[in-house]
Amino acid sequence: MDAACARLPNSRTLNVVDNAVELGGEIARGGASEDAAGHHGSGSPLVGRTAELGLLDTVIDRLGHGAPPFVDITGAAGIGKSRLMAEFCLRARRRGVTVLRGRAAEYERHLPFHPFADAFADLADGPPHAPGLLDAVSRIRGGRAAEPSPGPVQPAADRFGLHRSVAARLAQLGRAGGLVVALDDVHWADPASLELLDHLVRHPVPGPVVLVVARRDRQTPTALTAALTREADTDAVLRIALAPLAEEECIEGLAPDLPRERSAQLYAAGEGNPLYFLSLLHAHREDAARRRASSAQASAGNSLGELPTGLGAVLMNELAPLTPSQHRTLEAIAVLGDHAMSRVIRRATGHTDAELDDDLDSLARRDLVRPGPGGRMMLRHPVIRTLVHESTAARRRVEIHRAAAVELSRTGAPAVEQARHIERSVTSWDPQAYAVLRQAAEQTASTAPTSCAHWLRAALTLLPDTVERGAERRDLMLRRARALGVAGGLRESRDLLHKVISTAGPDETGVRTSAVVLCALTERHLGRYPEAIALLRRELSRQPELSPSDRVSIGLELSSSAPHNVSYPQMRGEVARTLADARALGNELGEAGALAVAAFGEAYEGGVPAASAYAAQAAGLLDGLPDDDLTALCEPLGRLGWAEAFLGRFADAERHADRGLGIARRSGQVYLLPLLLLCKAHVRIQTCRLPSACELADEAEDIARGIGSSELLAFVLANKAQVRIAASAPGDPEALAAAEEAVATMGPSDNWRASMAWCMLGYAALTGGDPHRARDALLRAGGDDLGGLQPSMRPLLSELLVTAALATGDVGSASAWAERARHEAEQLGLPVQRASAMRSAAQLALHGGDPAGAATLLSEAAALCARAGAAFWEARSLLLAAPVMTAAGLGARGAAMWEQGHRLATGGGAGLLVGLAEMTRPSEPCTSATAPPWLASLTAREREVAELVAEGLTNQAIATRLYLSPRTVETHLSRVFRKTDVATRAALAALVARS
C-alpha cells in the first residue's frame, strides 16, 4: 500500500485521518433511519463481519444470563468499529432492549463525562420504568442539555460515590427489558469518563446490562487498556479485534459493479480497510465522471497513479461547491460541537434567521449536516468535523468561541460549558472570564478533578503575574495542586507545591504552611517518607516565623509519618511537643489530633495501657466537637479508629471511622477515604460481617487507583486480600491474586505497608494449601523473629507459622512459634491475641496426642473472643474445637460448638470459616463401641487421603485421583499423621486396617 498511500492524503490529512473515526462508521442518531437494515447513514451496506455479529447476537441472547457485561471493539481507523457497533445497537433495539449511544469528541476532552452525557441525552424525557435515573445522571450531564438548566447542578460528594450511583441507576434501567450503553471513540474520552469506565469494567453492572465501547488500541490511555486487558482474562470483557475485510467480501459488498481487475487494485491499495477502499472508490468514480463530462480521451490504463489524492481530497471536494455563507455556517458547527444550536450559530455567524435556515437546508440536502439530540446540529461524521475544524483559520475559530461564550453567558449556561469557549478565546485579563473559569473549577472539583485542574490552569493563565496578585496566584496554585493530587497527578502536584513554598512571602505563613503540609502528604503518597520528614523538619526550624498554630499543623503531619518509615518511638518526642504546644494554645483541635496520633502509635507498638489512655482522651475531645470543626482532623479520626480497632474496641473504632468518612466526603478529602474505609473493613472482619467488608475494600481500591499512589494502593490491596481470604472459600484465587498484586505494587520497600502486603501473601498462601510459601512470606514480612511487625499482629501471625510448621512436619519450629505467640499475647493482654496464642498451643497439644488439653484451650479461646465481640475468631475457635471435643469423648459438646461456629460463619458471610465448617462437620455417631477417637478428628478429605495411603497409593497418585495438587495432599497427610500420632505410611495403613 506504500505507493497508494503516497498518493492518498498529504501529511496533514493523514494526521486528520489518524485522529478521526472511520468514514463508513455510524448510523447517525438523527440521520438515515436505523431501521434501514444493513445500511448506515452514508448508504454503504454492512460488509462481512459475520463471525463478529454472531458473537454480538449471543451477547443479546444471553443478556443478564451469563453474557459478558462489557464488549470491547478495537481496530485501526477506518476498519469498521462504529459500523459494527451501530449494527449491534440496531439489533438490540429491535429486540426491545433500551439503547443509549454516546461518543467521545476530539475537541471536548476537558468536558467531564462527555460521552456519557451524550448517551444520557437520550433520556431527556425520563423513562417511566426508571424514574430516579435522571436525578442520578444529572451530575454527569452537568446541566448540559438543549437549553441551559435553571441553576448549576450541585457536585456529588465525591467522584467515586458518583460512579457507584451511576452503576446502580444503570442496573435499575436495565431491569425493564435490558440495556445497552454504547460509547464510541473512547480513545478520545475525557479523564472523568475513563475513570468511570474503569469502575464499570472492574465492577460490572448487575443484571441485563452491557456496555460496548469502540476504540483504537494505540490511542487508548494506558490505564483503560490495562483494565480491559485484565478483565478480558476473566471473561468479564468480550474483546472483538477487527481485522481487514477479506477481498471477496470487500469487493462484492462495496463495488460489485466495478471491473474485477480495477476493484482488486483498489482493494490491494486499501489493504482491506473499508475506509480507504471507500475513499479510493469514491475518488475513482468522481474522476471517471469528470472524464466523461469533459469528453477527455480514454484512460491510458489502469495505473493506480491516476487515482486522486484520497480521503482528504474527496471530503474537501465535497465542500468546494459551498457558498461563503454555507462555509461560514459549517465552520461554526464544527467548532461549536455540542453547542451548535441555532441561537449560538446565529451569533457566531452573524446570520439572520432566514439566512441560517437557508444554509442549514442546503447543508442538509448535501448530507453534510444532520439534526442531533437536544436540538443541536451536527456534521455527518466526526472525520468531516475534524477536516472542517482544522481547515478553519485560527482567528476564525477564536471568533466563534468568543461568540459562543457570550451567548452561553447571556442564557445562564453552566460555568463548565462557558469555560470551554472562554479558554479558547480570551487571552488577556478579563475579570468576568476569570470568575467563570474559577467557578468551573469549583463545579468539577469533586467529580472531575482533572478538569478542575485544567480550568485552574486556564485561570492562572489569565491572572496577571504581578506582585499585587501574587497571593491570589499562590492560592490558585495551591487549589490546583490539591486537584492534581486527588486526580493521580502526584508528581505534578508536588512540583507545583514547591513553587508555592519557594515564592510565598513572609506574611503568607498560612498559605506556606498549607503547602508544606500538603506537599509532605504528597511525598508520603509517593513513598518518599525521608523527603516528607526532611521538608517538615526544615519548616519547623523556622521557629521565629511560624505561628504556634502552624507549628501544631506541621507537628501533626510530622507525627503522622510514623510508623510508615520510622518507628513510633523515634517520633514520640515530636508527638509530645505537638501535644504540649496545642495545650498551651488552648487548641482543642490540635490537642485531639496529637492524642489520636499518640493512641495509634502506642497501639501499634503494643503499649496497650498508654494507647488506651490516649484513645480515651482523644475520643473525649473529638466526640464533643461539631463536624464542621473536624474538617482538618479526618486523618486523626482515622488513626484513632485504627488504634481502637487494635485495642479491640470495635464499636468505637467503627463509630469514629464512620464520622471521618462523612466529613472527608463532604470536604472533598478523597485521599483520606481509604484509611477510613479500611479501618471500618478491618472491624467488620473481626466482627464477622464480611459482605460489607468486601464492599468497603472494593471502594477503597477504586479510590487508591484513582489517586495514583502505588504506596497507598499496595496497602489497600493487602487489606483487600485479608478481606477476601476471610470472605472466600479456602484457596480462593482472588485473595491470593490481591496479595500478590499488593506485593508487586509495593516493590522493594520494607516499611509497615510492605510488611502488611507480605503478611497477607503468607496468609493467602496458607489458606491455599501452600505452607512453604506461607512461611517464607511471613518471615519476609517480619524477619526471623517477626520483630519487624507490629506487636498486636505477632500472635496472629505466629499462629499461622505454627500451622505452616506442623503442616510441613517441623514440630520444633511450631513449638517455638507457639511459645512466641504466648509471650507476645501475655505482654499485650488483649483478648483476641490471647485467644490466638491459645489456638497455637492447642495445635501442639493435639499433635502431641492430648485432645483433652487442646479442647480446653480452644474452648477458652472461643469464650475470650465472644466476650470481646470478635465473632470471626470466635467462630474459628469453635469450629476448630468441635472435632477435638469429639475426639476427647465430648461429642455432644463438640456438635453444639460446631453448630454455633457454623451459624456465626454463615451469618457473617465468612466463606473461609464455612469451608472450615465443612471440613470439621461432625460425623454420624459410630455404632461400634471400639471405634477409635482419632477417627472423628479427621475431616472427610483427610479420611479419603488416609484410605488411599492404606491402599498403597503415592502422593502423586492420590493427587491425580482426588484432583488435588501433590502439595495439598502432602498438607492433608501431615495433618493425618498429627491427628493419628503415627509417623510412617505403613503405620497409618495398619491403623486404617484395624479401624
Side-chain angles (χ1 to χ4, degrees):
M1 189 175 174
D2 292 343
C5 280
R7 283 177 290 274
L8 281 173
N10 57 33
S11 59
R12 181 182 183 190
T13 306
L14 278 173
N15 183 57
V16 169
V17 172
D18 251 359
N19 290 283
V21 295
E22 41 277 1
L23 177 64
E26 72 162 306
I27 300 176
R29 195 183 280 116
S33 170
E34 292 190 6
D35 290 327
H39 290 74
H40 56 73
S42 66
S44 299
L46 176 64
V47 175
R49 308 304 183 200
T50 303
E52 291 85 352
L53 284 172
L55 289 172
L56 293 173
D57 282 337
T58 302
V59 170
I60 301 174
D61 293 339
R62 297 170 53 202
L63 200 59
H65 301 284
F70 208 100
V71 178
D72 178 27
I73 303 175
T74 66
I79 206 69
K81 301 183 297 294
S82 300
R83 180 66 187 91
L84 182 64
M85 175 183 277
E87 183 66 19
F88 174 67
C89 292
L90 176 60
R91 295 184 181 206
R93 189 174 285 119
R94 285 174 176 171
R95 299 195 199 182
V97 176
T98 299
V99 176
L100 304 179
R101 293 192 63 190
R103 165 171 263 146
E106 185 178 6
Y107 302 106
E108 282 81 27
R109 297 194 203 186
H110 292 291
L111 288 180
F113 305 107
H114 182 268
F116 286 94
D118 190 30
F120 294 154
D122 288 341
L123 296 173
D125 296 328
H129 46 273
L133 184 62
L134 283 181
D135 290 338
V137 303
S138 64
R139 298 188 186 281
I140 273 188
R141 293 178 63 186
R144 295 199 291 277
E147 298 295 333
S149 58
V153 176
Q154 294 300 315
D158 68 82
R159 66 195 198 265
F160 306 103
L162 175 62
H163 298 166
R164 295 190 300 277
S165 175
V166 170
R169 296 306 180 182
L170 291 179
Q172 176 190 9
L173 186 59
R175 294 189 195 115
L179 172 68
V180 169
V181 180
L183 304 177
D184 208 350
D185 295 337
V186 296
H187 49 275
W188 282 331
D190 60 276
S193 293
L194 292 171
E195 202 170 52
L196 176 54
L197 276 172
D198 179 77
H199 174 87
L200 295 174
V201 171
R202 289 185 292 107
H203 306 290
V205 179
V209 177
V210 61
L211 271 80
V212 188
V213 299
R215 64 188 179 90
R216 296 188 210 137
D217 245 337
R218 66 183 179 83
Q219 290 177 254
T220 303
T222 304
L224 181 60
T225 299
L228 291 168
T229 302
R230 182 176 64 247
E231 297 302 323
D233 295 336
T234 67
D235 296 328
V237 173
L238 170 62
R239 186 169 190 182
I240 299 177
L242 297 186
L245 289 174
E247 180 175 352
E248 196 67 26
E249 290 178 333
C250 194
I251 293 174
E252 291 297 324
L254 298 176
D257 58 325
L258 207 63
R260 183 69 185 196
E261 184 179 358
R262 188 61 165 172
S263 59
Q265 288 179 311
L266 295 179
Y267 176 83
E271 293 185 343
N273 186 301
L275 171 64
Y276 291 109
F277 184 87
L278 284 170
S279 65
L280 291 167
L281 177 64
H282 190 135
H284 167 73
R285 287 175 170 158
E286 289 272 318
D287 187 56
R290 268 196 309 274
R291 288 200 305 270
R292 286 194 301 271
S294 62
S295 301
Q297 63 180 9
S299 174
N302 289 323
S303 168
L304 287 175
E306 297 179 9
L307 291 172
T309 55
L311 178 61
V314 169
L315 293 177
M316 294 307 289
N317 283 343
E318 259 194 277
L319 310 182
L322 301 182
T323 66
S325 175
Q326 291 165 355
H327 262 295
R328 193 173 180 82
T329 299
L330 201 65
E331 289 174 344
I333 295 172
V335 172
L336 290 171
D338 287 354
H339 295 139
M341 294 168 283
S342 294
R343 55 187 174 77
V344 186
I345 299 172
R346 274 197 303 272
R347 180 174 286 272
T349 57
H351 290 339
T352 65
D353 288 348
E355 290 170 339
L356 180 60
D357 288 344
D358 287 344
D359 283 352
L360 291 176
D361 286 343
S362 298
L363 294 171
R365 282 195 299 272
R366 292 179 175 275
D367 196 24
L368 287 170
V369 170
R370 296 170 176 174
R376 72 174 188 256
M377 303 306 296
M378 55 193 299
L379 298 180
R380 182 179 76 226
H381 195 279
V383 72
I384 299 178
R385 183 189 179 193
T386 301
L387 285 166
V388 174
H389 187 284
E390 294 305 307
S391 63
T392 301
R395 178 185 55 77
R396 175 65 186 136
R397 290 201 298 264
V398 168
E399 291 174 356
I400 294 170
H401 283 301
R402 184 180 295 118
V406 170
E407 179 63 21
L408 292 173
S409 174
R410 185 186 69 80
T411 55
V416 172
E417 299 296 297
Q418 299 181 51
R420 173 195 157 208
H421 298 288
I422 286 173
E423 72 159 327
R424 297 177 184 180
S425 61
V426 180
T427 57
S428 58
W429 173 239
D430 182 329
Q432 183 177 352
Y434 172 74
V436 171
L437 290 171
R438 291 196 60 163
Q439 187 181 359
E442 291 171 8
Q443 288 180 354
T444 54
S446 61
T447 56
T450 302
S451 294
C452 172
H454 176 81
W455 301 131
L456 286 170
R457 183 175 63 182
L460 282 165
T461 301
L462 286 187
L463 186 66
D465 192 2
T466 61
V467 174
E468 295 77 15
R469 296 278 186 177
E472 186 176 3
R473 172 171 290 276
R474 281 182 283 278
D475 177 68
L476 281 190
M477 292 167 69
L478 187 60
R479 291 172 183 269
R480 184 163 184 263
R482 287 197 183 98
L484 288 168
V486 299
L490 293 173
R491 286 175 175 79
E492 189 178 355
S493 174
R494 180 190 61 198
D495 294 343
L496 197 56
L497 290 167
H498 282 172
K499 290 181 182 178
V500 175
I501 294 168
S502 63
T503 59
D507 58 340
E508 296 179 77
T509 56
V511 170
R512 180 185 173 97
T513 297
S514 296
V516 166
V517 171
L518 182 57
C519 188
L521 175 64
T522 303
E523 298 281 23
R524 274 203 277 143
H525 280 317
L526 289 167
R528 295 162 53 96
Y529 296 105
E531 288 83 352
I533 293 170
L535 173 67
L536 293 165
R537 288 196 187 282
R538 177 177 176 274
E539 198 66 16
L540 282 174
S541 69
R542 299 171 58 250
Q543 288 285 356
E545 299 177 31
L546 282 179
S547 69
S549 60
D550 286 343
R551 284 203 306 272
V552 171
S553 297
I554 294 171
L556 282 175
E557 178 59 31
L558 181 59
S559 303
S560 296
S561 62
H564 299 292
N565 197 57
V566 295
S567 67
Y568 177 74
Q570 291 177 266
M571 286 292 172
R572 199 175 264 129
E574 297 288 355
V575 177
R577 278 190 290 275
T578 302
L579 180 57
D581 285 344
R583 283 174 169 167
L585 283 171
N587 183 345
E588 282 189 311
L589 294 176
E591 181 182 359
L595 288 168
V597 170
F600 176 77
E602 297 293 355
Y604 180 90
E605 292 296 330
V608 173
S612 298
Y614 284 131
Q617 294 176 64
L621 282 173
L622 291 169
D623 290 347
L625 292 170
D627 282 358
D628 288 346
D629 289 352
L630 296 182
T631 300
L633 288 182
C634 288
E635 186 165 15
L637 269 172
R639 289 181 179 274
L640 175 60
W642 273 105
E644 290 167 331
F646 290 156
L647 295 170
R649 301 178 181 178
F650 300 128
D652 288 337
E654 186 163 5
R655 178 167 59 85
H656 287 127
D658 269 331
R659 192 177 185 197
L661 282 168
I663 297 169
R665 290 190 198 281
R666 288 194 295 275
S667 59
Q669 298 180 78
V670 175
Y671 57 90
L672 294 176
L673 294 178
L675 173 74
L676 295 156
L677 290 165
L678 292 178
C679 175
K680 193 171 175 181
H682 178 78
V683 169
R684 294 196 172 188
I685 295 174
Q686 310 306 307
T687 53
C688 206
R689 292 175 286 167
L690 273 304
S692 59
C694 289
E695 293 173 1
L696 292 164
D698 284 344
E699 183 181 353
E701 181 188 2
D702 288 344
I703 297 169
R705 291 188 186 279
I707 290 174
S709 166
S710 58
E711 180 88 9
L712 177 62
L713 178 59
F715 179 66
V716 169
L717 290 170
N719 281 271
K720 177 184 175 179
Q722 184 182 14
V723 174
R724 292 294 181 195
I725 291 167
S728 308
D732 181 74
E734 279 193 30
L736 183 61
E740 289 174 333
E741 187 180 355
V743 168
T745 302
M746 182 57 70
S749 299
D750 58 357
N751 56 28
W752 171 47
R753 289 175 168 175
S755 69
M756 278 289 298
W758 281 102
C759 285
M760 291 308 112
L761 179 59
Y763 191 8
L766 187 61
T767 61
D770 192 344
H772 298 281
R773 188 183 188 191
R775 178 199 60 209
D776 294 344
L778 291 168
L779 296 181
R780 167 66 175 78
D784 291 341
D785 61 350
L786 297 189
L789 300 177
Q790 64 185 95
S792 62
M793 288 181 62
R794 289 176 196 162
L796 295 165
L797 297 172
S798 295
E799 181 185 354
L800 298 181
L801 284 167
V802 169
T803 305
L806 289 175
T808 57
D810 187 355
V811 180
S813 292
S815 298
W817 287 118
E819 175 58 25
R820 179 64 185 267
R822 184 196 64 77
H823 175 72
E824 295 280 358
E826 282 182 358
Q827 285 193 317
L828 291 166
L830 297 171
V832 173
Q833 284 76 1
R834 288 171 56 206
S836 178
M838 290 176 178
R839 288 194 298 271
S840 293
Q843 290 188 67
L844 283 173
L846 191 60
H847 181 82
D850 182 12
T856 299
L857 287 165
L858 290 169
S859 179
E860 291 178 5
L864 270 175
C865 294
R867 288 194 294 272
F872 180 87
W873 299 111
E874 178 191 359
R876 179 172 175 79
S877 301
L878 289 168
L879 292 169
L880 290 172
V884 181
M885 285 288 182
T886 303
L890 302 171
R893 188 175 176 191
M897 296 177 89
W898 186 91
E899 289 291 345
Q900 172 69 354
H902 184 258
R903 181 183 65 78
L904 289 172
T906 54
L912 179 68
L913 299 184
V914 172
L916 177 60
E918 290 303 312
M919 290 190 287
T920 60
R921 181 184 292 275
S923 304
E924 294 296 326
C926 286
T927 56
S928 169
T930 60
W934 62 263
L935 187 60
S937 69
L938 298 184
T939 66
R941 180 65 81 187
E942 289 166 355
R943 289 180 195 172
E944 284 183 296
V945 171
E947 289 168 0
L948 293 174
V949 167
E951 292 177 21
L953 272 66
T954 65
N955 284 5
Q956 181 62 57
I958 295 172
T960 302
R961 177 81 64 87
L962 299 181
Y963 300 97
L964 301 173
S965 70
R967 180 159 284 184
T968 301
V969 172
E970 177 187 337
T971 301
H972 286 308
L973 190 54
S974 297
R975 292 173 180 163
V976 170
F977 283 155
R978 184 180 70 245
K979 292 178 181 180
T980 58
D981 198 23
V982 299
T984 66
R985 301 173 78 91
L988 178 61
L991 190 62
V992 172
R994 288 197 305 272
S995 302

mmCIF file of all heavy atoms in Angstrom, residues 38 297 862:
data_model
loop_
_atom_site.group_PDB
_atom_site.id
_atom_site.type_symbol
_atom_site.label_atom_id
_atom_site.label_comp_id
_atom_site.label_asym_id
_atom_site.label_seq_id
_atom_site.Cartn_x
_atom_site.Cartn_y
_atom_site.Cartn_z
ATOM 1 N N GLY A 38 -28.936 -3.153 7.434
ATOM 2 C CA GLY A 38 -27.685 -3.366 6.733
ATOM 3 C C GLY A 38 -27.059 -2.142 6.150
ATOM 4 O O GLY A 38 -26.076 -2.223 5.454
ATOM 5 N N GLN A 297 -9.889 12.081 -23.470
ATOM 6 C CA GLN A 297 -9.507 10.822 -24.096
ATOM 7 C C GLN A 297 -9.639 9.693 -23.102
ATOM 8 O O GLN A 297 -9.636 9.900 -21.898
ATOM 9 C CB GLN A 297 -8.064 10.912 -24.601
ATOM 10 C CG GLN A 297 -7.026 11.133 -23.503
ATOM 11 C CD GLN A 297 -5.633 11.217 -24.083
ATOM 12 O OE1 GLN A 297 -5.464 11.284 -25.294
ATOM 13 N NE2 GLN A 297 -4.646 11.202 -23.216
ATOM 14 N N ALA A 862 -12.455 -19.538 72.360
ATOM 15 C CA ALA A 862 -13.764 -19.138 71.854
ATOM 16 C C ALA A 862 -14.470 -18.219 72.834
ATOM 17 O O ALA A 862 -15.094 -17.220 72.437
ATOM 18 C CB ALA A 862 -14.612 -20.373 71.574
#
